[in-house]
Amino acid sequence: MSPGPPIGRAAVVVPCHNEARRLSHDAFAAFLRKAEHVRLIFVNDGSTDDTLARLHALSEVAPDRVSLCDLPTNVGKGEAIRTGLQRAFELDVEYCGYWDADLATPLDVILDFCDLLDAQPNTEVIFGTRVRLLGRKIERRALRHYLGRASATVISITLGLSVYDTQCGAKLFRITPEVRSLFEEPFVSGWIFDVEVIARLIHARRAGGLPPAETVIFEQPLRAWRDVEGSKIGPRDYVRAALDLARIHRRYLRR
Ligand SMILES: Nc1nc2c(ncn2[C@@H]2O[C@H](COP(=O)(O)OP(=O)(O)OP(=O)(O)O)[C@@H](O)[C@H]2O)c(=O)[nH]1
Ligand SMILES: [Mg+2]
């Protein structure tokens, strides 16, 4: 018997660490009502505030389309997302991804990304990209913008890939064996695990003699993105990111 079309289009993981204050019940509820073919997988990552109670309330909006993973201790964003994606891979959906809980990128963009993957069969990965083009609404603090641009330049050189924005928390993947394999092993990096995902893709494609990573990654400039108060990223994360980048290079990219 043929398996038939998948029952859902996408399952999107939302990592949450102490997000009780920032989590917008109304925005998530409205999206769930509208996007009937999208499932949300919330991962509560050892929060010590009311995040879990807020997530339970949200799951009642659409119990069949909201999953909740509750991790007793904090494992960090990358590992939380990896845990959520393992759950996504078990679902009957075509696409999976992850989205920041602060909704810096509006949820509706998930639907645009689904349409892009539908229209571009060779694309495996869509990255939301914060480019301050005229006519877009990219509201980012100046310091974060310039630090972001400097980091992106160093990351691009290290990866040997001119990727504009690795750190935007809005990404969607086509579920293929290759994409699953990117999330099989724990990450060696922290905050810049997204860079490690790309490095794994580059490494796997080189090892398999496949066309390079840039043939399957598509960066999509966002129409709107806003800096939401309460970011957990601080100066120490930049230092750790530099060390992690060196580790990523040693592990996946040294020829
Ligand atoms: N699971 C988990 N998620 C985290 C952790 N730290 C941050 N996050 C999540 O990562 C997402 C983005 O967090 P932010 O603190 O806004 O950081 P950011 O978006 O990378 O950085 P900004 O550009 O400053 O917004 C949110 O969904 C957070 O809940 C963590 O330790 N564990
Ligand atoms: Mg944020």
Side-chain angles (χ1 to χ4, degrees):
M1 203 172 85
S2 97
I7 56 165
R9 284 178 99 189
V12 176
V13 177
V14 182
C16 300
H17 177 59
N18 289 342
E19 288 291 350
R21 211 172 49 80
R22 296 201 299 178
L23 209 64
S24 167
H25 181 98
D26 292 349
F28 279 104
F31 178 74
L32 282 164
R33 280 189 213 104
K34 171 177 169 184
E36 287 183 352
H37 296 292
V38 178
R39 289 156 174 257
L40 296 179
I41 301 172
F42 291 95
V43 182
N44 176 41
D45 186 17
S47 297
T48 50
D49 65 1
D50 279 342
T51 298
L52 187 59
R54 305 216 50 190
L55 294 179
H56 276 302
L58 249 180
S59 68
E60 279 164 25
V61 174
D64 51 334
R65 284 183 289 122
V66 175
S67 312
L68 188 45
C69 303
D70 185 25
L71 307 178
T73 51
N74 183 254
V75 296
K77 182 176 176 181
E79 282 311 300
I81 285 174
R82 233 174 46 77
T83 306
L85 286 175
Q86 303 309 319
R87 177 90 54 109
F89 296 150
E90 288 164 13
L91 298 171
D92 189 13
V93 289
E94 290 171 89
Y95 310 137
C96 67
Y98 44 92
W99 225 255
D100 280 356
D102 59 8
L103 300 188
T105 311
L107 286 167
D108 282 355
V109 176
I110 293 173
L111 305 179
D112 300 338
F113 284 11
C114 288
D115 290 343
L116 275 170
L117 285 173
D118 286 347
Q120 301 176 185
N122 292 332
T123 299
E124 288 197 13
V125 185
I126 308 255
F127 289 171
T129 305
R130 296 162 292 183
V131 193
R132 284 211 274 183
L133 299 170
L134 296 178
R136 314 288 167 108
K137 229 172 155 217
I138 307 297
E139 296 169 7
R140 208 172 175 198
R141 273 166 292 153
L143 179 65
R144 287 300 301 266
H145 172 75
Y146 289 111
L147 280 173
R149 295 318 314 138
S151 313
T153 304
V154 176
I155 289 168
S156 284
I157 292 168
T158 308
L159 291 173
L161 185 76
S162 62
V163 50
Y164 186 87
D165 184 3
T166 55
Q167 297 314 108
C168 178
K171 295 188 166 69
L172 201 69
F173 299 76
R174 188 185 303 283
I175 301 181
T176 61
E178 177 172 48
V179 163
R180 282 169 188 257
S181 73
L182 302 177
F183 297 97
E184 242 158 45
E185 298 287 323
F187 295 114
V188 298
S189 57
W191 175 44
I192 60 162
F193 73 91
D194 302 82
V195 176
E196 190 170 347
V197 171
I198 302 171
R200 286 178 175 184
L201 186 65
I202 293 171
H203 177 77
R205 295 207 139 234
R206 270 187 198 151
L210 294 168
E214 58 264 41
T215 61
V216 293
I217 303 177
F218 188 80
E219 288 195 292
Q220 172 71 357
L222 297 171
R223 295 193 73 80
W225 188 91
R226 70 197 167 98
D227 237 333
V228 181
E229 286 288 302
S231 166
K232 297 175 194 78
I233 302 303
R236 255 197 245 157
D237 295 294
Y238 280 92
V239 177
R240 163 126 202 239
L243 298 173
D244 282 350
L245 191 58
R247 192 173 296 143
I248 289 170
H249 184 267
R250 260 200 317 276
R251 187 163 176 133
Y252 304 100
L253 303 168
R254 215 162 43 184
R255 297 197 202 220

